[in-house]
Amino acid sequence: MGLTSRSLLFTVVFVAVLCVGLTVWLWPRLAGRGALPVLGRLGSILVTQLAIMSVVLLAVNSANSFYGTWGQLLGRYDRAPGQVTAVNDNTNASAAAVDVGKGGLIRPSGTENTEHMGLPDGPREQVGAVQSVRLVGRRSNVVEPAFVYLPPQYFQKQYERQRFPVIVAISGYPGGIDNLSKFLQIPKTASELQAQKKMQPTVIVMLRPTIAPPRDTECVDVPGGPQAETYFTKDVPEALRSAYRVGHEASAWGALGYSSGGTCALELAMRQPNAYPAAAALSADYKIKNDLTTGNLFGGGDEGKQREREHDLVWRLKNLPAPKVSVLVTSSKKGEKNLKETERFLKAVKEPMNASKIILDEGSHNFTTWRREIGPSLEWMSKQLVFPQDTNS
């Protein structure tokens, strides 16, 4: 039985109930004095507690996928990078400082620590830099923290008038932007890939998916509430273009995320292809539903039901014209819950949409798995983005 299988959980629940029943039944027989009755009472308590704790731990692990297989529980992880496989391909193609002053849409922030980014020591024109900023959403009326990774070329004289492609990286919920830098290691991985010429120089902005914490807004424009989709598709590009030398055309922009951040990336690309024509989603879901953390995201009545259907990506592919976007999705044959939905989504993809996948033999819903996927995902994303030909005048 697999570590996350229901059969294992039900079996352990049955054992726990049986242990409790046996303890109650045997307790009068173990009430005597002497070493054997005392050891019997201690043994029954210990076995019952272990059975109950096993149920709790299995249930928590099943809900959160901390460990996907027995091998992972025992510390045996496959750390080899995943391989990107094209599902369909409808294309024919095989030193100035950043202006982050007061009153602008990008403001300096001293509240986030950028020392854990994993970049090598050296001047920024050789190793790049990460800035901690606050991003002002003019339409969504929010101010959100962000890390902005700038490649070495951004500070080199020969690129001083050049604009750069952009990846908007989105963390899972309730994780913050630190998870993208410290645990997913995006700046470190991007720096290494660029040094190896496997990735073009790219600006990467790291954001969290919710703009109204602690509510999980799932990158949705909530009727009468937080306008998260507007923030990501309009406010974020506007703010970055106002302060950084980044591409003005959508062809230079892509979205990437893990878990609910991956869901956001897919939703943003498929709903707003003029903002993000490329998306990479690690362990994403393919539809958004209301729950205790989200509240009502779609409103009531028939309009609310229609809005909810439109956030079901398989429903969109079956009922609406497919957008002209390229997407990369990931899952695992063992240890990931989204494998069947991933396969269902990929089967629904149709022209002019392109899809690729990373399917690991074994992995689970955690950073150990996602670090195997982030390098190939960044390489894939770099191939989708057009290096802007326009220059900063």
Side-chain angles (χ1 to χ4, degrees), residues 28-62:
R29 300 168 183 256
L30 302 173
R33 297 180 180 180
L36 288 178
V38 171
L39 289 174
R41 291 195 294 271
L42 290 175
S44 64
I45 292 172
L46 178 62
V47 171
T48 301
Q49 290 295 323
L50 285 174
I52 294 173
M53 285 303 300
S54 296
V55 171
V56 173
L57 292 174
L58 282 172
V60 170
N61 184 68
S62 180

Side-chain angles (χ1 to χ4, degrees), residues 68-120:
T69 66
W70 292 105
Q72 291 177 5
L73 181 64
L74 297 173
R76 297 196 297 267
Y77 282 94
D78 183 356
R79 301 184 187 276
Q83 298 293 320
V84 176
T85 304
V87 178
N88 70 326
D89 187 353
N90 302 317
T91 63
N92 295 321
S94 36
V98 176
D99 180 13
V100 286
K102 290 184 177 180
L105 299 179
I106 298 287
R107 299 176 183 175
S109 171
T111 61
E112 301 289 350
N113 182 11
T114 59
E115 294 179 354
H116 57 266
M117 299 299 171
L119 299 180

Side-chain angles (χ1 to χ4, degrees), residues 87-390:
V87 178
N88 70 326
D89 187 353
N90 302 317
T91 63
N92 295 321
S94 36
V98 176
D99 180 13
V100 286
K102 290 184 177 180
L105 299 179
I106 298 287
R107 299 176 183 175
S109 171
T111 61
E112 301 289 350
N113 182 11
T114 59
E115 294 179 354
H116 57 266
M117 299 299 171
L119 299 180
D121 294 330
R124 60 186 186 178
E125 61 271 16
Q126 295 180 12
V127 302
V130 177
Q131 296 186 334
S132 175
V133 301
R134 298 188 72 78
L135 191 153
V136 179
R138 187 167 59 86
R139 298 168 185 81
S140 55
N141 196 31
V142 297
V143 180
E144 281 290 293
F147 287 145
V148 181
Y149 165 78
L150 302 169
Q153 292 82 356
Y154 194 94
F155 304 102
Q156 295 172 5
K157 186 172 180 58
Q158 62 266 39
Y159 289 90
E160 63 183 1
R161 297 182 63 243
Q162 181 66 57
R163 299 188 182 277
F164 290 80
V166 186
I167 295 174
V168 175
I170 308 170
S171 70
Y173 176 86
I177 57 176
D178 273 342
N179 287 353
L180 293 162
S181 55
K182 187 175 182 180
F183 299 115
L184 197 56
Q185 301 177 349
I186 284 181
K188 178 178 183 291
T189 306
S191 175
E192 293 171 349
L193 290 173
Q194 288 169 161
Q196 298 165 11
K197 307 298 183 184
K198 294 181 178 180
M199 180 181 178
Q200 62 183 331
T202 304
V203 171
I204 304 176
V205 57
M206 290 161 269
L207 299 163
R208 60 185 180 182
T210 181
I211 64 170
R215 185 178 185 181
D216 182 8
T217 48
E218 292 278 356
C219 297
V220 171
D221 276 353
V222 181
Q227 301 295 288
E229 184 175 300
T230 295
Y231 169 76
F232 279 99
T233 58
K234 293 184 172 61
D235 288 341
V236 169
E238 178 187 57
L240 291 170
R241 287 167 180 150
S242 75
Y244 294 94
R245 300 197 317 274
V246 295
H248 284 184
E249 299 297 325
S251 58
W253 288 70
L256 175 150
Y258 68 87
S259 190
S260 57
T263 305
C264 280
L266 282 179
E267 292 275 350
L268 295 173
M270 292 185 64
R271 290 176 55 81
Q272 302 289 344
N274 291 330
Y276 299 105
L282 315 184
S283 301
D285 292 322
Y286 300 94
K287 61 182 175 182
I288 295 174
K289 299 182 292 186
N290 292 327
D291 60 31
L292 292 176
T293 65
T294 65
N296 188 345
L297 295 173
F298 308 108
D302 292 339
E303 291 183 1
K305 292 178 181 178
Q306 179 61 21
R307 278 191 286 266
E308 185 170 4
R309 281 192 291 269
E310 289 175 359
H311 282 82
D312 181 333
L313 299 182
V314 175
W315 183 92
R316 292 186 70 90
L317 287 169
K318 291 182 177 179
N319 295 276
L320 299 174
K324 190 176 181 180
V325 296
S326 296
V327 300
L328 169 67
V329 296
T330 78
S331 188
S332 304
K333 295 177 183 177
K334 292 175 60 178
E336 263 291 12
K337 292 183 176 180
N338 76 335
L339 178 60
K340 289 185 178 179
E341 284 302 304
T342 298
E343 293 172 341
R344 183 167 169 254
F345 171 79
L346 291 172
K347 287 180 181 178
V349 170
K350 57 188 178 183
E351 294 185 357
M353 184 174 170
N354 295 318
S356 298
K357 64 180 180 180
I358 297 175
I359 305 296
L360 302 178
D361 288 334
E362 184 176 301
S364 52
H365 207 75
N366 58 33
F367 287 103
T368 301
T369 296
W370 298 326
R371 280 195 296 270
R372 295 175 60 195
E373 298 167 343
I374 189 60
S377 297
L378 288 172
E379 284 189 59
W380 175 89
M381 180 70 77
S382 184
K383 295 174 183 177
Q384 314 307 313
L385 306 184
V386 175
F387 202 106
Q389 299 302 309
D390 54 324

